């Protein structure tokens, strides 16, 4: 196995490994690289859904996503991230990740990490970006670090409650009723969380799921969130990925955000499988 740095900011490419057949020493090497680099890219993988699930489970139990109508019908651990339509309806989440977010931060125990595997990619568009949220925290002014110490932010899946991400296209995401029905109750997590493995602090807010701050006035909370999000989303902290068929990217949801860049022309297909690893209560 060879592990080489992906960008100056973070991330690594892991080569010489078949994810359908990794021995326990290989898993440990990957776990170490995962904690060090936050985002791991594996190229040229040819794995079945079973192998994707088995490999993912080395890092923890898997989540079954709350978007039930986007799960693979034979494997509920696989979320379909896809613009394929059957009978006029998307078979998976067509708009997955269209604003910066960390997976499942709207849950009491958000996801540890996710593994997205490209089965079909569009010729144009469909890239994904990741943000290094350790770097976002580390480079905050000391005054801001002190201000956010001990603060908790409100997170919600319900995009209709979120002024920051604008009015969604109801035909693609479903109406208010769908979100009211499937969204779990709002949760509160530290604005800066400590990674349980590395002990490092990462900023843990996102435009997609963070609605406000627990204490203080909402105006002040929104100003603070705007400031933190603007700081975190600067280009120096970004890894930009143009997908190839067979790429699998595994990322840590505790110290990164990610964004689907979209821009796929009508008629081009992008079809991916995602597994989502369960995590712990952030602290
Ligand atoms: C996701 O947010 O998990 C999907 C990202 C993408 O489709 O690029």
């Amino acid at each position: 196995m060879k592990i080489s740095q992906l960008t100056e900011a973070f991330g690594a490419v892991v080569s010489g490994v078949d994810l359908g057949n990794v021995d326990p020493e290989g898993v440990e090497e990957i776990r170490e690289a995962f904690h060090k680099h936050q985002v791991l890219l594996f190229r040229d993988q040819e794995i079945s859904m079973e192998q994707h699930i088995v490999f993912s489970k080395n890092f923890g139990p898997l989540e079954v996503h709350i978007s039930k109508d986007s799960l693979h019908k034979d494997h509920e651990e696989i979320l379909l991230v896809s613009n394929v339509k059957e009978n006029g309806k998307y078979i998976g989440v067509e708009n997955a990740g269209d604003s910066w977010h960390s997976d499942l931060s709207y849950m009491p125990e958000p996801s540890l990490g996710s593994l997205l595997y490209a089965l079909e990619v569009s010729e144009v568009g469909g890239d994904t970006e990741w943000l290094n949220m350790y770097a976002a925290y580390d480079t905050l002014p000391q005054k801001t670090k002190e201000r956010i110490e001990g603060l908790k932010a409100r997170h919600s899946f319900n995009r209709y409650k979120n002024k920051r991400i604008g009015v969604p296209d109801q035909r693609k995401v479903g109406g208010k009723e769908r979100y009211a029905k499937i969204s779990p109750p709002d949760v509160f997590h530290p604005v800066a969380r400590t990674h349980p493995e590395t002990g490092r602090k990462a900023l843990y807010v996102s435009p997609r799921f963070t609605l406000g701050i627990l204490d203080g006035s909402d105006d002040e909370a929104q100003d603070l969130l705007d400031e933190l999000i603007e700081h975190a989303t600067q280009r120096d902290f970004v890894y930009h990925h143009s997908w190839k068929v067979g790429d699998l990217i595994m990322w840590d949801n505790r110290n990164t955000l990610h964004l689907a860049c979209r821009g796929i022309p009508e008629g081009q297909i992008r079809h991916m499988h995602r597994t989502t690893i369960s995590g712990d209560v952030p602290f």
Side-chain angles (χ1 to χ4, degrees):
M1 199 182 300
K2 188 165 164 250
I3 297 164
S4 15
Q5 191 123 343
L6 202 49
T7 66
E8 260 181 44
F10 68 129
V13 190
V14 185
S15 48
V17 60
D18 167 9
L19 295 182
N21 187 18
V22 191
D23 61 20
E25 291 77 36
V27 170
E28 287 321 306
E29 221 174 312
I30 291 170
R31 194 190 311 281
E32 208 175 291
F34 180 61
H35 292 152
K36 182 166 173 200
H37 298 285
Q38 307 162 250
V39 173
L40 299 180
L41 163 64
F42 303 87
R43 295 251 191 227
D44 302 318
Q45 297 298 315
E46 283 183 39
I47 53 169
S48 65
M49 278 182 278
E50 288 81 0
Q51 288 171 322
H52 186 170
I53 291 169
V54 167
F55 176 68
S56 305
K57 280 187 174 168
N58 285 307
F59 305 93
L62 301 188
E63 295 283 345
V64 175
H65 201 271
I66 59 175
S67 301
K68 299 280 182 245
D69 46 4
S70 299
L71 305 176
H72 191 279
K73 64 178 180 2
D74 299 325
H75 296 281
E76 61 176 12
E77 301 94 330
I78 301 265
L79 176 71
L80 300 173
V81 176
S82 178
N83 63 1
V84 171
K85 280 184 179 172
E86 270 172 21
N87 304 319
K89 210 175 150 278
Y90 291 113
I91 62 164
V93 209
E94 186 274 338
N95 69 314
D98 57 0
S99 303
W100 288 111
H101 67 288
S102 168
D103 291 331
L104 276 52
S105 78
Y106 50 83
M107 300 290 275
E109 296 188 348
S111 164
L112 175 158
S114 307
L115 295 92
L116 188 61
Y117 177 44
L119 292 135
E120 208 171 333
V121 300
S122 53
E123 253 172 60
V124 175
D127 295 354
T128 308
E129 293 187 333
W130 281 265
L131 273 179
N132 181 346
M133 298 301 272
Y134 283 152
Y137 177 80
D138 290 345
T139 53
L140 284 172
Q142 186 56 29
K143 206 162 55 91
T144 312
K145 283 187 185 163
E146 283 162 19
R147 183 167 172 213
I148 63 175
E149 181 67 34
L151 279 190
K152 288 197 163 186
R154 177 192 291 272
H155 294 244
S156 171
F157 182 72
N158 193 338
R159 54 166 72 228
Y160 286 88
K161 287 187 183 177
N162 188 339
K163 297 196 186 77
R164 200 164 266 104
I165 57 173
V167 180
D169 179 345
Q170 295 211 9
R171 287 164 309 168
K172 291 193 170 171
V173 302
K176 266 189 179 167
E177 303 68 31
R178 171 177 178 264
Y179 275 84
K181 195 166 144 210
I182 68 171
S183 296
D186 295 358
V187 290
F188 293 91
H189 296 309
V191 169
R193 70 178 292 185
T194 304
H195 195 285
E197 301 296 335
T198 65
R200 290 184 67 184
K201 277 197 174 172
L203 205 52
Y204 194 61
V205 291
S206 73
R208 171 63 186 87
F209 294 133
T210 313
L211 298 187
I213 305 275
L214 183 54
D215 298 311
S217 81
D218 192 49
D219 282 351
E220 277 177 25
Q222 296 312 326
D223 287 350
L224 176 60
L225 286 175
D226 285 344
E227 185 187 321
L228 294 175
I229 288 166
E230 194 186 330
H231 172 79
T233 52
Q234 55 185 281
R235 298 308 297 176
D236 286 353
F237 304 153
V238 171
Y239 168 61
H240 182 107
H241 187 71
S242 299
W243 292 90
K244 291 194 170 68
V245 168
D247 285 354
L248 184 145
I249 295 196
M250 169 178 182
W251 66 88
D252 194 326
N253 280 308
R254 301 164 295 185
N255 54 27
T256 64
L257 297 186
H258 58 284
L259 170 77
C261 304
R262 306 181 62 79
I264 303 172
E266 192 66 36
Q268 293 195 16
I269 296 298
R270 180 184 193 260
H271 183 67
M272 305 203 169
H273 286 172
R274 192 184 96 188
T275 51
T276 314
I277 308 163
S278 303
D280 305 321
V281 176
F283 59 90

